[in-house]
Amino acid sequence: MFKKKQQGEKDAALSPGTAAQKKGVKPFLKRNWKRIAAGAAVVAVAAVLFLPKNNAVPTAGSVNYVQTNPQRRDITNVFSDSGTIMAANTYEVRPLVRGTVLTADFEEGDVVQAGDVLYTIDSSDAANSVERAQLSANQAERSYEDAVNAAYVRSDIGGTVVSVKVAPGDVVTAGQEVATVRDDGTVLLTVDFPAADAAAFGPGQAALVTLDGTYETVTGTIRSVSGADTLSEGNMLVRQVTIAVPNAGALTSAQAATASVNGVSALGSAHFAYQKEQTLTAAAGGTVAALCVQPGARVAAGGQVVQLTSDSLTRQLEQAADNLRSAQLSVEDAENTLENYTITAPISGTIIQKNVQAGETAGSDSASGSATPMCIIHDLRYLEMTLNVDELQILSMQVGQDVRITADAVPDKTFEGVVTNVSSNGTTTAGTTTYPVTIRIDDYGELLPGMNATAEIEVESADNALSIPNGAVIRGNYVLITADSPSAAGADPAMTAPEGYVYVKVTTGVSDNDYIEVTSGLTEADTVAYEASAPFDFGYAQPGMTVTVAGG
């Protein structure tokens, strides 16, 4: 609680006939309960003194007053409350899976870093699940690729598209020929050589090829030599030699040529042959959506030649895509589950409790999981405590305010803290709303989480302030002074005062447990009077200043 409230709250509590008066009653009573209790016997007399003339009720009796002069002093308004010291962050490590703990290489008191391995749990079953999920994903991926390929007619060889037998919009059936692709980048010439000479030839050996008709020569290389001798039409033993000739596009199967190797000439000429040629057929029926290449264009091995479309192909592709994605998610789930068998520190901190050892079983068969944490980690980089501040005092709290902290468990020591958060999320209980205020303690020494501590926050202060005892200020911020005081000239005629006294209106400022600052309405030369039963510092009053006033 506040030792004394701010001036704004005091003004609100002391102003008569306003809503602010009602809001200030509680702190006023809380601050002056001793004076009120001691003065209960003179309530009737005080009421007569405090009421305006037109409302005053005469009464019999006497009231003892103490007289004093306003003096200058330093006043500090301090908020004080108790709370429990807590770690900056606390984390309870709980298992997400069930199994036998294989390793737990840490002990209570050890400092760990976020990501450090705390426990490993037997994960053999989980590893098998990951492998099975991956196999299913591989199968789904191949099925998807097949579904994609089913919509295209592709060439198995690289070469030139010799012909395309369909056009966009045509309907084709499975197995129908749609195009021809020829590998004519290299042409082959197979001719007979004398067997005795050809026996010395080998693959890769250079050959000179002479074209029939033009007698143009090109260079080729021996691709193969037959291994057996055959008898030619001229009854000579010969061997067939196949020569590969690079083709820039001019050589066709209609062109004939002869060849020579190391000066040995072939026994005749032959026509060039293409080394590869493929007739492409549709693997599935459908409508030709597009021609991916035009006749005469070159296509790479595996290249798309014709695209087909149909409802069945579309459904097949969509289903394959869904199956692949489902299989991939299964792999991710299995891998995530596998990761749960290795438990790492979620925060950096100190192990304060270790509940599960290696060899024990972690986890629970119940849906709610394990009731007991495997271990507890405290982040002890700094400590915190939270105060619940009353709604009448919360506006005095600000982030950055210094805090003095003491704890009975650590006697004769004071620790420094700072306000780090003033929450606007209040909690109302029994008609009173409180707001949490968080305090951070960096240099906490011997303080430990769980200790009870008292926090004091300097809310406001005034140096060399003109001050009077708290009990001298009555409702409406009136002060009773002697009629010969300099400030008596500003007396309020509506207030009835005892003989020899007048009431003056003052403006107050900072207050503490004993004194309140007066910012206007009084001077140091004034003589202030207040009830002897009101709490005050006897060292502040002057001897012989007690007077007795009879009646009202």
Side-chain angles (χ1 to χ4, degrees), residues 290-380:
L291 299 181
C292 302
V293 293
Q294 296 298 322
R298 293 194 62 82
V299 64
Q304 301 168 354
V305 177
V306 175
Q307 181 183 6
L308 303 176
T309 183
S310 70
D311 292 342
S312 61
L313 288 174
T314 301
R315 287 193 297 270
Q316 179 183 349
L317 182 60
E318 290 175 348
Q319 183 176 358
D322 292 343
N323 291 339
L324 176 59
R325 182 54 183 158
S326 178
Q328 291 171 340
L329 292 176
S330 296
V331 172
E332 293 177 9
D333 290 344
E335 289 175 342
N336 290 337
T337 300
L338 181 61
E339 291 177 359
N340 293 334
Y341 285 82
T342 300
I343 301 176
T344 59
I347 61 173
S348 299
T350 302
I351 303 292
I352 66 161
Q353 188 173 328
K354 181 180 180 183
N355 300 321
V356 178
Q357 309 292 333
E360 298 179 350
T361 299
S364 172
D365 290 328
S366 65
S368 60
S370 176
T372 303
M374 299 180 73
C375 67
I376 300 176
I377 304 174
H378 272 179
D379 179 359
L380 298 178

Side-chain angles (χ1 to χ4, degrees), residues 170-194:
D170 289 351
V171 177
V172 298
T173 59
Q176 180 178 335
E177 294 182 4
V178 296
T180 300
V181 176
R182 180 182 296 155
D183 181 0
D184 56 0
T186 298
V187 292
L188 302 179
L189 178 66
T190 300
V191 291
D192 292 338
F193 278 86

Side-chain angles (χ1 to χ4, degrees), residues 29-370:
L29 295 177
K30 189 174 185 180
R31 187 187 62 209
N32 297 290
W33 68 273
K34 292 182 179 179
R35 181 174 66 84
I36 294 172
V42 294
V43 171
V45 176
V48 172
L49 294 178
F50 298 160
L51 289 173
K53 287 181 178 180
N54 54 356
N55 290 327
V57 179
T59 183
S62 63
V63 179
N64 291 329
Y65 287 92
V66 175
Q67 294 183 350
T68 186
N69 300 109
Q71 294 185 2
R72 294 197 173 273
R73 64 179 62 246
D74 295 339
I75 300 177
T76 300
N77 190 341
V78 177
F79 170 84
S80 178
D81 200 2
S82 299
T84 302
I85 301 292
M86 302 295 292
N89 191 11
T90 299
Y91 196 94
E92 295 182 348
V93 177
R94 298 178 185 271
L96 299 177
V97 293
R98 179 175 174 82
T100 302
V101 175
L102 300 180
T103 63
D105 300 328
F106 66 94
E107 298 299 333
E108 291 183 3
D110 287 354
V111 176
V112 297
Q113 302 299 318
D116 287 352
V117 175
L118 300 177
Y119 294 97
T120 58
I121 300 175
D122 185 5
S123 60
S124 54
D125 291 342
N128 292 336
S129 297
V130 171
E131 185 175 356
R132 284 192 293 270
Q134 187 61 60
L135 291 174
S136 297
N138 293 341
Q139 294 173 356
E141 185 172 5
R142 288 191 293 269
S143 297
Y144 175 76
E145 292 174 354
D146 291 342
V148 171
N149 290 332
Y152 292 93
V153 178
R154 299 174 182 269
S155 174
D156 294 332
I157 64 174
T160 302
V161 178
V162 178
S163 64
V164 177
K165 301 177 182 179
V166 294
D170 289 351
V171 177
V172 298
T173 59
Q176 180 178 335
E177 294 182 4
V178 296
T180 300
V181 176
R182 180 182 296 155
D183 181 0
D184 56 0
T186 298
V187 292
L188 302 179
L189 178 66
T190 300
V191 291
D192 292 338
F193 278 86
D197 295 316
F201 298 165
Q205 192 172 353
L208 184 64
V209 177
T210 302
L211 305 182
D212 288 356
T214 63
Y215 300 104
E216 180 184 356
T217 59
V218 294
T219 301
T221 57
I222 295 176
R223 176 71 61 85
S224 64
V225 179
S226 63
D229 297 342
T230 60
L231 190 63
S232 69
E233 294 181 357
N235 293 322
M236 290 184 60
L237 292 176
V238 297
R239 290 191 179 184
Q240 288 187 335
V241 177
T242 300
I243 300 171
V245 179
N247 183 18
L251 300 179
T252 68
S253 59
Q255 177 68 55
T258 187
S260 63
V261 178
N262 288 338
V264 178
S265 298
L267 298 178
S269 62
H271 287 274
F272 287 109
Y274 302 111
Q275 61 176 353
K276 290 181 181 178
E277 186 172 287
Q278 181 183 14
T279 298
L280 306 182
T281 59
T287 301
V288 177
L291 299 181
C292 302
V293 293
Q294 296 298 322
R298 293 194 62 82
V299 64
Q304 301 168 354
V305 177
V306 175
Q307 181 183 6
L308 303 176
T309 183
S310 70
D311 292 342
S312 61
L313 288 174
T314 301
R315 287 193 297 270
Q316 179 183 349
L317 182 60
E318 290 175 348
Q319 183 176 358
D322 292 343
N323 291 339
L324 176 59
R325 182 54 183 158
S326 178
Q328 291 171 340
L329 292 176
S330 296
V331 172
E332 293 177 9
D333 290 344
E335 289 175 342
N336 290 337
T337 300
L338 181 61
E339 291 177 359
N340 293 334
Y341 285 82
T342 300
I343 301 176
T344 59
I347 61 173
S348 299
T350 302
I351 303 292
I352 66 161
Q353 188 173 328
K354 181 180 180 183
N355 300 321
V356 178
Q357 309 292 333
E360 298 179 350
T361 299
S364 172
D365 290 328
S366 65
S368 60
S370 176

Side-chain angles (χ1 to χ4, degrees), residues 443-501:
D443 187 9
Y444 53 83
E446 298 169 87
L447 293 176
L448 295 174
M451 286 184 176
N452 295 316
T454 299
E456 294 184 347
I457 303 174
E458 182 177 311
V459 176
E460 57 181 347
S461 63
D463 297 334
N464 195 33
L466 184 66
S467 61
I468 59 176
N470 288 326
V473 180
I474 67 171
R475 63 180 180 85
N477 275 20
Y478 283 98
V479 175
L480 186 67
I481 63 174
T482 59
D484 59 356
S485 296
S487 297
D492 187 341
M495 294 290 290
T496 300
E499 184 178 354
Y501 296 89

